[in-house]
Amino acid sequence: MSLEQHYTAIIGQLGEDTSREGLIDTPKRAAKAMQYLCRGYQQTLDEIVNGALFSSDNSEMVLVKNIELYSLCEHHLLPFIGKAHVAYIPNGKVLGLSKVARIVDMYARRLQIQENLSRQIAEAVQQVTGALGVAVVIEAQHMCMMMRGVEKQNSSMVTSVMLGEFRESAATRSEFLSLIG
Ligand SMILES: [Zn+2]
């Protein structure tokens, strides 16, 4: 069965009349939307980075703040939405500016839990750049918390992963945390 046919079955199971005018094209649209939201499965790190790695003497922290993040929780298939902050300390190589955001997007566009997403982003940046350290903080609001269950409308979840110098040096870590506010 195609994704579209599965959506027809789901809508019917929910108690709807799947032949009603407003719903006729819904399974097709929903299938397309879901494929878009999960397009990260079709991407690889190599393809995303595409050689945009440059030599640099800079050994100061590189920080990309407030990267918009849209993902789906793997427990409920509901969105979680927020921001990622990613920093690394170069070890001879820096990554093209937009690439950090594209790495975040590739992993976010899969079924996720926030903890794993943070770790996958940190490890990818580490792997690609060979950095001396990588830090990732994600703040996000989870629709599965806000729209159902406990219905905590304003709770947001913060996760962080620190690798290398960010883990070993309290000064580096606190510089990063103060820069992201
Ligand atoms: Zn959930």
Side-chain angles (χ1 to χ4, degrees):
M1 254 211 297
S2 68
L3 202 46
E4 182 179 336
Q5 289 167 321
H6 282 287
Y7 271 116
T8 304
I10 290 168
I11 293 165
Q13 287 286 314
L14 292 174
E16 263 289 0
D17 168 9
T18 56
S19 63
R20 157 164 101 69
E21 195 192 357
L23 291 175
I24 286 175
D25 289 328
T26 299
K28 195 195 295 173
R29 282 191 296 258
K32 236 181 135 182
M34 192 54 116
Q35 274 160 342
Y36 182 86
L37 299 181
C38 292
R39 69 183 192 267
Y41 290 116
Q42 316 305 326
Q43 300 172 321
T44 66
L45 194 52
D46 275 355
E47 183 185 295
I48 289 292
V49 173
N50 191 26
L53 205 59
F54 308 100
S55 296
S56 170
D57 297 334
N58 174 32
S59 57
E60 297 298 314
M61 183 187 306
V62 176
L63 169 63
V64 188
K65 268 192 350 178
N66 297 319
I67 302 167
E68 279 180 47
L69 179 144
Y70 302 94
S71 192
L72 289 176
C73 93
E74 67 184 29
H75 298 142
H76 305 96
L77 305 185
L78 288 172
F80 63 97
I81 295 168
K83 285 174 183 170
H85 313 289
V86 179
Y88 65 99
I89 299 171
N91 185 19
K93 283 178 194 164
V94 293
L95 202 51
L97 253 189
S98 66
K99 299 300 181 180
V100 173
R102 296 206 57 199
I103 290 172
V104 169
D105 205 52
M106 177 179 82
Y107 291 108
R109 300 303 194 170
R110 298 177 182 184
L111 304 182
Q112 284 288 4
I113 63 170
Q114 194 176 319
E115 294 88 337
N116 292 345
L117 176 58
S118 310
R119 178 154 298 277
Q120 287 165 10
I121 294 165
E123 287 174 352
V125 172
Q126 173 66 55
Q127 185 192 323
V128 168
T129 61
L132 299 172
V134 180
V136 173
V137 168
I138 293 176
E139 308 164 51
Q141 294 194 304
H142 290 248
M143 295 309 136
C144 60
M145 287 272 287
M146 296 170 75
M147 295 176 69
R148 56 164 286 288
V150 286
E151 296 195 22
K152 291 277 182 239
Q153 310 282 322
N154 292 309
S155 62
S156 80
M157 181 172 170
V158 181
T159 51
S160 72
V161 173
M162 305 283 159
L163 304 177
E165 275 189 26
F166 288 94
R167 195 179 181 81
E168 285 140 29
S169 158
T172 305
R173 199 163 52 238
S174 72
E175 186 190 345
F176 166 68
L177 293 173
S178 75
L179 285 170
I180 67 171

